[in-house]
Amino acid sequence: MMPLLFPSMLAAETVRYVSDQLEITMRTGQGVQYSIRKMLRSGTEVVVVETDPTGYSKVRTSDGVEGWVLSRYLANQPVARDRLAEKAQTIATLELEIAGYKEELASLSAQHSDVDDQNLGLRETAQRLSKELDELRRTASNAIALDNENRQLKEKLQEMDYQIQAAQMEVNALRDSSAKSWFLIGAAVLFAGLLLGLIMPSLRVRKKSSWGSL
């Protein structure tokens, strides 16, 4: 029968906040004749269990206490003081986050600077190594040229050695030929002398005989 007597009573539970009054009374029933169960300070969050058309709402606090309060003292959002405090807290949180982002940005900037320095150092090292490589290439080409020149000189020296050996052999051959020639000349002279030695006495005998016949 109660729902028929109060067809406009709301059964859905919704969240409300005590308005900007300093304190309101939570009573055991709808009216000042009922005893006070609790005093609710401004900004207190309560759950509306039901609402009566007479201007009262049954609420439940966060610690489970239930009672009736005047509906006009309930607001759909926290009081301005609490909203301001919440926004201040949000601002403070955002400021902390911004400070953190600034520190991170400064750290990234420092790291970027370090990376730039490292890149500069690497570029300088690369340039130095490139110069050293060019110098090594020039040295290597000079060494190859010197090696080729040395090889050519060795070949010329070897050819000259061959020529000297050939000339020495020719000189030795000429010496042997000259020695043989002088030996033959000496032998011929000796033979001629012996021959003359044999012929001269007979010539003298013949001359004497011819002179005696005269």
Side-chain angles (χ1 to χ4, degrees):
M1 296 298 294
M2 291 297 293
L4 295 177
L5 293 176
F6 304 102
S8 61
M9 185 176 294
L10 299 177
E13 295 184 356
T14 56
V15 176
R16 292 291 185 269
Y17 300 89
V18 175
S19 63
D20 288 336
Q21 300 294 325
L22 293 178
E23 284 185 335
I24 64 173
T25 56
M26 175 191 286
R27 296 180 182 272
T28 58
Q30 302 178 32
V32 294
Q33 69 273 20
Y34 293 95
S35 61
I36 297 175
R37 299 201 64 180
K38 191 172 184 178
M39 299 299 295
L40 302 178
R41 296 185 61 186
S42 175
T44 301
E45 180 180 329
V46 295
V47 176
V48 176
V49 179
E50 58 182 276
T51 300
D52 191 274
T54 59
Y56 280 88
S57 295
K58 187 177 182 180
V59 298
R60 183 174 60 247
T61 62
S62 59
D63 55 359
V65 179
E66 291 186 357
W68 293 88
V69 297
L70 288 170
S71 299
R72 66 175 179 271
Y73 292 147
L74 299 178
N76 294 329
Q77 59 183 355
V79 296
R81 183 189 67 249
D82 292 341
R83 293 200 305 273
L84 182 61
E86 182 180 356
K87 291 185 180 299
Q89 181 62 36
T90 302
I91 292 172
T93 302
L94 290 175
E95 288 178 347
L96 288 175
E97 291 181 358
I98 292 172
Y101 290 144
K102 287 182 178 179
E103 291 179 359
E104 185 175 358
L105 180 61
S107 177
L108 290 175
S109 298
Q111 292 177 6
H112 183 69
S113 178
D114 293 338
V115 170
D116 288 341
D117 293 339
Q118 292 177 1
N119 289 335
L120 179 60
L122 290 175
R123 285 196 295 270
E124 292 177 351
T125 302
Q127 292 176 357
R128 178 176 56 81
L129 291 177
S130 179
K131 290 181 181 179
E132 292 180 359
L133 180 59
D134 292 339
E135 184 65 25
L136 288 174
R137 286 174 177 171
R138 286 194 296 270
T139 303
S141 65
N142 292 335
I144 293 174
L146 289 174
D147 184 67
N148 292 332
E149 186 176 355
N150 289 332
R151 186 170 63 254
Q152 292 175 359
L153 288 175
K154 287 181 180 179
E155 291 176 355
K156 290 181 179 179
L157 288 174
Q158 188 174 6
E159 184 179 357
M160 292 179 67
D161 286 339
Y162 290 153
Q163 293 177 358
I164 291 172
Q165 290 178 5
Q168 187 67 39
M169 292 175 64
E170 186 176 355
V171 169
N172 292 334
L174 290 174
R175 286 178 179 176
D176 292 341
S177 177
S178 178
K180 290 179 180 179
S181 297
W182 283 107
F183 177 77
L184 291 174
I185 292 172
V189 171
L190 179 61
F191 180 75
L194 291 175
L195 184 60
L196 289 175
L198 293 174
I199 295 174
M200 288 300 293
S202 61
L203 290 175
R204 290 176 181 174
V205 171
R206 289 180 180 177
K207 288 180 178 181
K208 288 181 179 181
S209 298
S210 61
W211 288 343
S213 61
L214 293 174

